Amino acid sequence: MSVESQLDPLFLARSYMRRRKYESCVEVCSKMLQKNPYDQSAWFMKAKALTEQVYVDEVEAEDVGLAEMFMDETAIASVSRPGTSFNRSDLSSSAGSSGSRGVRPISQSGRPVSGFVRPGTQSGRPGTVEQALRTSRTAATARPATTASGRYVRLGTASMVSEPGGPFIEVANLNLSKYATRVGLNKCLFDYFFYKEGDVRTAMDLAALATKAAEFQDWWWKQQLGKCYYRLGLYRDAQKQFESAIKDQPTVDNYLYLSKVFIKLDQPLSALETFESGMNAFPGETSLIVGCARVFEGIGDQPKSIQAYRQSLVYDASCVEAIACIGTQHFYSDMPEIALRSFRRLLQMGVVNTEVYNNIGLCCYHAQQFDMAITCFERALEFSDKTNCADVWYNIGTVAVSTGDLTLAEHAFQLALIMDNNHAEAYNNLAVLMIRQDKAERARAYYLSAIATNPDLYEAHYNMSILSQQLGDLNTAFKEIRKALEIFPDHVDSKNIYDNLKQYFTML
């Protein structure tokens, strides 16, 4: 007879919950409910375990889904001042510190690429608006739950009994007004509706009733109401709830949620004020400092962003995001040796993935450590998958071009396109190799593919203009060089070509 079979089932379920073995916890609780469907302790534990399986921290900003794109009625100024909107970054302040397009790659939104991919929602892109609204969020890691259920059996009511083979909780049978007054149980129900079922409206109704039952004095329920309003796109209502929660009880999460609302409303200055208020209340809180750094990076103020990341490392020396972003900044500031120290630190911390080895390989190459660069790229390919393998092969091709091995470079760029046929940079570089082989038509086709894939890649427009000049198509050359200057107005070579073509057409 096993030791687990001799233990009390409720104690065993709590043990599984504490060790994050949620499936085993659900299985034990289900057996307890089969024997006694009114066992409220087992019901409570099973609901918590089901919730923890799909729990994700709502503080982190998520990707824009289909519902947000088609149902967002928030009016944003089309012509905003630089530094006051995420849609118009002030790159002039960071031009001297690797903010230029000629030094650091720029995303399609017009901001320099970050050194760290922020976590978003783990659910895939929904197919319909209703599905996007009701899709529950999931995550690979979940926080351990703390429950205070007594060992004696608390009997529930008939509305809590689930039908065999049906859903665990029948929402239609629940009297929300009744359960909103049950302290402890109402929070468990809210988490189940919000995270497991993805039924935001029912969760919002329960939160509103519980807030009223608490005489509007419970900050936790105000926070949950704000989360529901945010999920439904009612950002101003969410702002009021979070501000009220901060007045009742200032917590780090409340400041983070409120700043998240301002970021969604494209108000970075208000978000910075919220972060500063939070740092005054909670000095040394790294999540607030990192939030400031993200906002500064979003509006194009790279120096202040790096300063904030360095400040966060003073309080938390193991902040992966801060180390990665500082290393990326050093790399694009032509300091690969210093950047190499940051990425090696990530390896020492146990962050072993394709991106880290890929960045170490690039740093070694630019630091003239060619033997280490090849080894790092090989390790990056070992850890790579379909999502990042194309970038590794693209970097290998770039290194091969610099060393003069054009055959290897061509094969590497072709492999990058096989892994990701939307890799605009690989199309552009492959077209340059085709020009060296006097294959103008193939080069032209690759340039067109690069432009179609990423219209904001100024190199493709610039190269296309040069090729069109060589082929005698001056109209196309003039059109492409104008697009290149619209994307990167400070590109000197593009200005020279534009002036020459403009002078030629003026003489005609």
Side-chain angles (χ1 to χ4, degrees):
M1 180 179 292
S2 63
V3 178
E4 293 184 351
S5 61
Q6 300 177 5
L7 296 176
D8 179 72
L10 183 60
F11 177 83
L12 182 60
R14 294 183 63 183
S15 176
Y16 283 137
M17 172 72 74
R18 186 173 60 252
R19 290 178 287 167
R20 302 187 185 184
K21 296 183 179 181
Y22 302 121
E23 294 182 358
S24 301
C25 179
V26 170
E27 183 179 354
V28 172
C29 293
S30 299
K31 293 180 180 178
M32 295 173 62
L33 290 174
Q34 288 178 358
K35 296 180 180 179
N36 184 4
Y38 297 96
D39 189 344
Q40 187 173 343
S41 300
W43 183 92
F44 181 88
M45 191 71 66
K46 182 177 180 179
K48 292 292 292 183
L50 290 174
T51 302
E52 291 294 337
Q53 285 180 339
V54 296
Y55 177 82
V56 66
D57 196 347
E58 289 283 320
V59 169
E60 294 292 348
E62 71 277 1
D63 299 330
V64 179
L66 191 65
E68 288 81 1
M69 289 189 296
F70 287 98
M71 300 180 65
D72 187 10
E73 297 179 353
T74 305
I76 297 177
S78 57
V79 183
S80 56
R81 292 176 296 171
T84 62
S85 172
F86 292 109
N87 296 328
R88 187 182 180 187
S89 302
D90 187 10
L91 297 180
S92 59
S93 62
S94 57
S97 58
S98 74
S100 171
R101 284 180 178 266
V103 178
R104 187 168 186 170
I106 304 295
S107 63
Q108 293 188 5
S109 60
R111 298 192 297 268
V113 294
S114 175
F116 187 83
V117 179
R118 276 88 186 188
T121 56
Q122 302 295 322
S123 57
R125 179 174 288 274
T128 62
V129 173
E130 182 67 16
Q131 183 181 355
L133 194 61
R134 297 182 63 90
T135 300
S136 59
R137 271 54 169 172
T138 60
T141 59
R143 294 179 178 176
T146 56
T147 57
S149 302
R151 287 186 56 81
Y152 59 93
V153 175
R154 295 190 181 98
L155 295 180
T157 59
S159 60
M160 298 171 57
V161 180
S162 58
E163 295 292 334
F168 173 56
I169 298 178
E170 290 286 351
V171 181
N173 296 336
L174 289 180
N175 185 358
L176 296 181
S177 300
K178 174 184 176 182
Y179 287 101
T181 59
R182 303 284 294 275
V183 179
L185 186 61
N186 50 10
K187 295 183 179 181
C188 177
L189 270 177
F190 175 85
D191 289 338
Y192 181 84
F193 292 148
F194 190 83
Y195 294 106
K196 174 63 178 177
E197 296 294 334
D199 193 347
V200 182
R201 294 189 179 277
T202 302
M204 183 181 65
D205 293 339
L206 179 61
L209 293 172
T211 304
K212 184 178 180 180
E215 298 180 354
F216 304 97
Q217 300 298 322
D218 193 335
W219 66 269
W220 191 88
W221 283 113
K222 294 180 181 179
Q223 183 189 93
Q224 308 314 310
L225 263 180
K227 289 163 59 176
C228 293
Y229 286 140
Y230 182 90
R231 186 78 74 84
L232 294 173
L234 304 174
Y235 303 121
R236 290 302 180 185
D237 294 330
Q239 175 186 346
K240 294 178 182 178
Q241 294 297 328
F242 292 137
E243 289 175 346
S244 178
I246 290 176
K247 290 180 181 179
D248 293 341
Q249 180 64 46
T251 63
V252 176
D253 282 350
N254 285 334
Y255 284 109
L256 292 174
Y257 282 126
L258 182 58
S259 62
K260 181 180 175 182
V261 172
F262 287 129
I263 292 173
K264 193 71 174 180
L265 293 174
D266 194 21
Q267 297 179 2
L269 299 183
S270 299
L272 288 174
E273 292 178 359
T274 303
F275 282 127
E276 291 176 359
S277 301
M279 286 187 288
N280 292 332
F282 301 94
E285 177 58 41
T286 55
S287 59
L288 297 173
I289 301 174
V290 170
C292 276
R294 293 178 180 180
V295 175
F296 281 130
E297 188 179 50
I299 61 179
D301 197 341
Q302 292 294 328
K304 289 186 178 180
S305 175
I306 296 302
Q307 183 181 358
Y309 280 127
R310 287 173 176 167
Q311 184 182 358
S312 67
L313 289 178
V314 173
Y315 300 101
D316 183 9
S318 61
C319 182
V320 176
E321 180 176 353
I323 296 174
C325 290
I326 292 175
T328 303
Q329 178 70 11
H330 285 149
F331 177 79
Y332 287 116
S333 298
D334 199 17
M335 293 185 287
E337 296 86 358
I338 301 178
L340 183 60
R341 294 168 54 187
S342 298
F343 295 122
R344 287 178 58 187
R345 172 62 179 163
L346 292 178
L347 276 184
Q348 294 172 355
M349 292 169 53
V351 184
V352 181
N353 52 34
T354 301
E355 289 77 8
V356 173
Y357 275 112
N358 184 60
N359 293 345
I360 292 177
L362 288 175
C363 292
C364 291
Y365 167 72
H366 288 281
Q368 307 301 315
Q369 301 177 14
F370 300 107
D371 52 342
M372 289 294 297
I374 298 301
T375 303
C376 290
F377 284 131
E378 290 177 352
R379 294 297 301 273
L381 287 175
E382 292 178 4
F383 289 101
S384 65
D385 52 23
K386 293 181 180 180
T387 61
N388 50 26
C389 187
D391 292 330
V392 180
W393 280 114
Y394 170 76
N395 290 330
I396 292 175
T398 304
V399 172
V401 169
S402 302
T403 57
D405 193 347
L406 301 184
T407 303
L408 174 61
E410 182 178 352
H411 290 323
F413 292 138
Q414 289 176 348
L415 286 171
L417 292 176
I418 290 175
M419 298 298 173
D420 182 10
N421 59 356
N422 292 323
H423 204 291
E425 291 82 0
Y427 279 120
N428 179 74
N429 290 7
L430 196 57
V432 175
L433 295 180
M434 292 297 103
I435 290 178
R436 293 191 177 187
Q437 300 175 11
D438 295 330
K439 299 178 181 178
E441 292 300 325
R442 290 187 61 184
R444 186 174 184 274
Y446 283 133
Y447 283 140
L448 292 176
S449 298
I451 294 172
T453 303
N454 185 5
D456 293 329
L457 186 66
Y458 83 93
E459 293 94 337
H461 293 286
Y462 172 75
N463 293 335
M464 184 65 180
S465 176
I466 295 178
L467 179 60
S468 299
Q469 275 188 292
Q470 295 174 354
L471 297 177
D473 189 357
L474 299 183
N475 291 326
T476 302
F478 186 72
K479 181 178 67 173
E480 295 297 333
I481 205 64
R482 281 202 307 178
K483 292 181 179 179
L485 285 174
E486 290 176 1
I487 300 171
F488 186 15
D490 297 331
H491 191 219
V492 179
D493 294 335
S494 296
K495 290 181 179 180
N496 295 334
I497 295 178
Y498 178 79
D499 293 337
N500 294 333
L501 290 176
K502 186 176 180 180
Q503 183 180 3
Y504 174 79
F505 284 117
T506 303
M507 293 175 60
L508 293 179

